Each structure stands twice: as structure tokens, then as C-alpha cells.
């Protein structure tokens, strides 16, 4: 097993865990904060825009079972790459879409995927504004944020309705990677 990690930001981390966690080859997905300037930020600090962090998920995966390319493809389906200042109901720089890369290989894959997505025309004339940035320290969010979709089913289902509509509009039904 060659375990690697990937970090994706695409709005509220509550809705980013489940799509990755249910895939074969994923050993763990954790919600957290990255890209900011304060050590050990809290949810309240990040939400108040005091730390520069973005809500994100860190995915541990076995690259023999699932490729980084597959994870990036799934990411495009879970986060609107044309909205630089948030995702769906989640507004602000702490919800901006970012692929945080851990290596030159991840950067190459993410950049090529972004170019291909833009050239596909799926979003019409809208630009793909998701940034691709070097990974920095990933601070795990408080425990009550972890696996939110399992702990707070009703609230999670409310939160993900606009994501589901986005996915259906641009990617169709039954798409998983």
C-alpha cells in the first residue's frame, strides 16, 4: 500500500467529507483548516475571517486502489470551480475553492485537469477560478465537525441540496468519479 494524502477546499467541509469517504481506497477523511497564518485555529476564528484559513478536507488514500486523478475528478463534481468567493450558500474567503498539492506530481495532475475542465466548455464562458496552491499545515477541525454527515443527518441533507443540484446540472446523475 502506498498511502498518500490530498487536500481539497470547496466550501463547508461538512459537505466535502462524504463524497470522498465512501470511495474504495480511502482510509480516512478529516475536516480541517489550511492556508492561513495562525497555529491551531478554531472554527470561530476561521469563520470570523481572523486567520486566513480555508475550510478543507484531507484525504488519505491508497494510490494502488484509487488515483489522485480520480480524486481530482471527484473534486470538480463536489465544488463549483467558477465561484472564487465561496460555495453555494457558504460565502467568504474561508470557503474558496482550492486544490492544495503535496508534490510536483500532484500539481501537474491538478493543473492539467483544470485546463481540461476549462477547455471542455461544460461551464460555458465562466472561468475556472479554483486555485492550485502548495499544501501548508493542515489543522484538524474540532471533533464535532468530523463526519458531520453521519452525526447530523438532517442538517447535512439541507446543506448539501445546492451541491446536489450543481452536480446534477453539470455532471448528471450517477456520476461518482
Amino acid at each position: 500500500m502506498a498511502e498518500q494524502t490530498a487536500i481539497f477546499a470547496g466550501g463547508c467541509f461538512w459537505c466535502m467529507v462524504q463524497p470522498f469517504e465512501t470511495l474504495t481506497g480511502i482510509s480516512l477523511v478529516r475536516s480541517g483548516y489550511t492556508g492561513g497564518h495562525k497555529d491551531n485555529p478554531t472554527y470561530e476564528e476561521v469563520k470570523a475571517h481572523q486567520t486566513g484559513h480555508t475550510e478543507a478536507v484531507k484525504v488519505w488514500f491508497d494510490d494502488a486502489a484509487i488515483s489522485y486523478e480520480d480524486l481530482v475528478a471527484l473534486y470538480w463534481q463536489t465544488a463549483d470551480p467558477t465561484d472564487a468567493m465561496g460555495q453555494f450558500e457558504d460565502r467568504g474567503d474561508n470557503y474558496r475553492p482550492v486544490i492544495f498539492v503535496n508534490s510536483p506530481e500532484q500539481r501537474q495532475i491538478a493543473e492539467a485537469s483544470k485546463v481540461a475542465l476549462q477547455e471542455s466548455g461544460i461551464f460555458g464562458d465562466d472561468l475556472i477560478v479554483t486555485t492550485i496552491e502548495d499544501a501548508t499545515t493542515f489543522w484538524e477541525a474540532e471533533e464535532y465537525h468530523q463526519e458531520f454527515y453521519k452525526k447530523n443527518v438532517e442538517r447535512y441533507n439541507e446543506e448539501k441540496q445546492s451541491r446536489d443540484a450543481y452536480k446534477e446540472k453539470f455532471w448528471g446523475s450517477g456520476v461518482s468519479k
Side-chain angles (χ1 to χ4, degrees):
M1 178 168 144
E3 188 163 73
Q4 294 189 37
T5 61
I7 301 173
F8 301 104
C12 180
F13 47 39
W14 292 344
C15 293
M16 293 290 295
V17 173
Q18 185 273 341
F20 291 101
E21 192 171 71
T22 56
L23 295 175
T24 299
I26 304 298
S27 61
L28 183 65
V29 181
R30 297 292 284 177
S31 296
Y33 318 107
T34 193
H37 54 78
K38 181 184 185 292
D39 289 351
N40 282 316
T42 67
Y43 178 70
E44 293 304 320
E45 291 170 330
V46 173
K47 186 176 171 183
H49 309 280
Q50 296 174 340
T51 68
H53 288 87
T54 301
E55 287 190 19
V57 293
K58 186 170 186 177
V59 179
W60 284 260
F61 67 101
D62 175 357
D63 69 352
I66 189 167
S67 70
Y68 184 72
E69 292 94 336
D70 288 339
L71 297 179
V72 171
L74 177 59
Y75 171 76
W76 296 127
Q77 296 172 37
T78 60
D80 181 352
T82 67
D83 188 348
M85 286 310 293
Q87 294 290 292
F88 314 106
E89 294 88 14
D90 305 316
R91 309 311 309 155
D93 61 340
N94 55 316
Y95 296 120
R96 65 192 180 92
V98 184
I99 298 174
F100 290 95
V101 295
N102 295 313
S103 68
E105 294 80 20
Q106 283 190 357
R107 178 173 292 282
Q108 181 181 18
I109 291 165
E111 294 282 0
S113 181
K114 180 178 175 178
V115 168
L117 184 61
Q118 185 69 61
E119 291 176 352
S120 76
I122 193 170
F123 296 101
D125 293 333
D126 291 342
L127 294 177
I128 306 302
V129 297
T130 300
T131 59
I132 298 169
E133 302 176 16
D134 290 335
T136 60
T137 303
F138 181 88
W139 302 97
E140 285 197 12
E142 297 81 353
E143 192 56 38
Y144 69 93
H145 291 296
Q146 306 302 332
E147 295 191 321
F148 186 85
Y149 77 99
K150 292 179 181 177
K151 297 174 184 174
N152 297 283
V153 175
E154 286 182 35
R155 177 110 184 258
Y156 168 73
N157 286 332
E158 289 172 16
E159 292 285 330
K160 77 178 195 90
Q161 286 179 2
S162 55
R163 281 182 197 266
D164 289 346
Y166 157 81
K167 187 174 179 179
E168 178 66 30
K169 177 179 178 181
F170 291 104
W171 302 99
S173 62
V175 178
S176 63
K177 53 176 194 173

